Amino acid sequence: MHTMEKWDDLKFVLAVATAGNLSAAARKLGVNHTTVSRRLSALEEGLGTRLFERLPDGLTPTPAGSEAVESARRIETELYSLDTRITAQDTELEGPLRVTAAQLIFQSGLADTMARFARLHPRIELSMNAANEILSLHRREADVAIRVTDRPDENLFGRLATGQNRTFYASREYLRSHSEAFASSSSTEAIESVSFKWWGKQPPKEVRARFPNAHTTVVCDDMIATQSAVRAGMGIGRMPCFLGDTDPELERVPGFELSRYFDIWVLTHPDLKNVERIRRFVRFAADDFKANSGLYLGR
């Protein structure tokens, strides 16, 4: 009789339960769909019981599966805690340092910051995870996170690196072809707007107040997509100053004031704040953002 003696067995069970289907679990584990299916079937066969019900919309744990999932979560939590406690004892300026941030933050200057840090500390093994999804510092998916937020996790330790501002941008050609409308404080011209999906289908209120006949041409769910749409002349779009001001194909739309955008924080797990390589990087990165705050504030 097969028993669930290996953490790998529970890891597969937990991934399937969390993801709800084999494909998503495979992506999380970094393997293919067939591997997850085969491992799960072999485990169930060896145990002589089903751990998951196969339903049209995904997999749901059976009572036995739920017990396995709860055990897996407890073991995973303890393993992460052990890993954190061991890492916290590290006082050397060497070893791995995993940094996560949105792709745009790496592009805007974080990659340069990390390059200079690497030259100062060549024995530290840096890795970058350009993830728009939020990786967990508590689960040790990263050592340091650069977060764009006004509400950082209160259970994390870190520093406010810089504030940010935003405004509206358009392509040079779009500004030229609508120069009369943009020269006016109020215009009936049907100015086109690039919008975000969480705004709904209408242009933002600042645009509607100045251009009552404005309409949305495209709805985006990502800042890179917004930048691309604005560059392509699909209308005016709001974006952070560090993105719009550094794009040679874009210009600020006249008549719109700067408005506050989310802050940038450099964060780590509180138990790791005194690990020398992490402590130094948090300070180095935060100081670098602060030194370049004019870029982020649009000054």
Side-chain angles (χ1 to χ4, degrees):
M1 176 71 70
H2 179 96
T3 59
M4 224 178 310
E5 296 176 344
K6 299 179 181 178
W7 164 237
D8 272 355
D9 291 334
L10 284 173
K11 187 164 61 175
F12 273 80
V13 171
L14 183 56
V16 172
T18 303
N21 62 71
L22 297 179
S23 296
R27 288 194 296 272
K28 181 177 178 63
L29 293 167
V31 298
N32 60 47
H33 174 282
T34 305
T35 298
V36 178
S37 179
R38 185 177 64 249
R39 287 288 297 269
L40 185 58
S41 295
L43 180 57
E44 290 179 324
E45 183 179 349
L47 291 170
T49 186
R50 274 196 173 278
L51 299 175
F52 293 92
E53 295 290 349
R54 275 70 168 172
L55 303 175
D57 57 348
L59 282 75
T60 300
T62 63
S66 294
E67 287 193 34
V69 170
E70 288 307 310
S71 294
R73 287 195 174 118
R74 288 195 298 272
I75 294 171
E76 182 187 52
T77 298
E78 182 56 34
L79 286 173
Y80 288 138
S81 177
L82 175 63
D83 186 35
T84 300
R85 293 195 302 271
I86 291 173
T87 303
Q89 300 176 35
D90 192 344
T91 60
E92 300 298 323
L93 274 172
E94 61 181 34
L97 178 60
R98 300 163 299 166
V99 180
T100 181
Q103 180 180 334
L104 283 174
I105 297 298
F106 280 115
Q107 290 179 194
S108 72
L110 180 58
D112 291 335
T113 297
M114 293 183 69
R116 285 186 284 105
F117 186 80
R119 287 193 289 272
L120 289 172
H121 307 290
R123 296 172 66 185
I124 295 178
E125 303 157 20
L126 290 174
S127 61
M128 298 188 227
N129 192 320
N132 286 324
E133 71 274 13
I134 296 178
L135 299 185
S136 173
L137 297 179
H138 298 291
R139 292 163 58 89
R140 296 305 312 280
E141 293 175 338
D143 299 308
V144 176
I146 314 299
R147 297 266 166 84
V148 179
T149 180
D150 283 343
R151 298 173 61 186
D153 186 339
E154 61 185 15
N155 294 313
L156 295 176
F157 171 83
R159 295 176 61 179
L160 172 61
T162 182
Q164 290 197 89
N165 284 323
R166 62 187 179 182
T167 190
F168 288 88
Y169 294 85
S171 69
R172 294 177 183 274
E173 175 57 28
Y174 194 88
L175 286 173
R176 186 194 63 76
S177 61
H178 297 80
S179 57
E180 290 187 13
F182 291 131
S184 171
S185 59
S186 179
S187 171
T188 58
E189 188 169 339
I191 292 298
E192 297 153 311
S193 173
V194 176
S195 297
F196 286 104
K197 66 177 183 180
W198 49 88
W199 295 348
K201 295 183 179 179
Q202 285 191 323
K205 61 182 181 180
E206 299 95 326
V207 174
R208 298 198 308 270
R210 186 172 168 195
F211 305 107
N213 294 323
H215 64 281
T216 296
T217 55
V218 63
V219 176
C220 302
D221 67 347
D222 174 83
M223 194 62 73
I224 294 177
T226 298
Q227 180 188 24
S228 300
V230 173
R231 292 177 73 182
M234 298 183 74
I236 67 175
R238 188 170 64 192
M239 61 190 77
C241 293
F242 80 81
L243 183 60
D245 287 345
T246 57
D247 190 327
E249 296 187 31
L250 302 183
E251 289 185 6
R252 294 185 186 184
V253 178
F256 286 103
E257 300 294 329
L258 294 177
S259 61
R260 188 178 177 279
Y261 192 50
F262 299 115
D263 295 330
I264 296 179
W265 290 78
V266 184
L267 303 167
T268 189
H269 192 286
D271 291 347
L272 301 180
K273 66 182 181 181
N274 293 320
V275 174
E276 190 62 17
R277 63 182 180 275
I278 294 174
R279 185 184 70 82
R280 290 211 186 188
F281 181 78
V282 168
R283 184 175 61 189
F284 188 89
D287 287 347
D288 227 30
F289 276 112
K290 189 166 293 185
N292 292 285
S293 61
L295 170 69
Y296 298 94
L297 293 169
R299 295 172 181 166

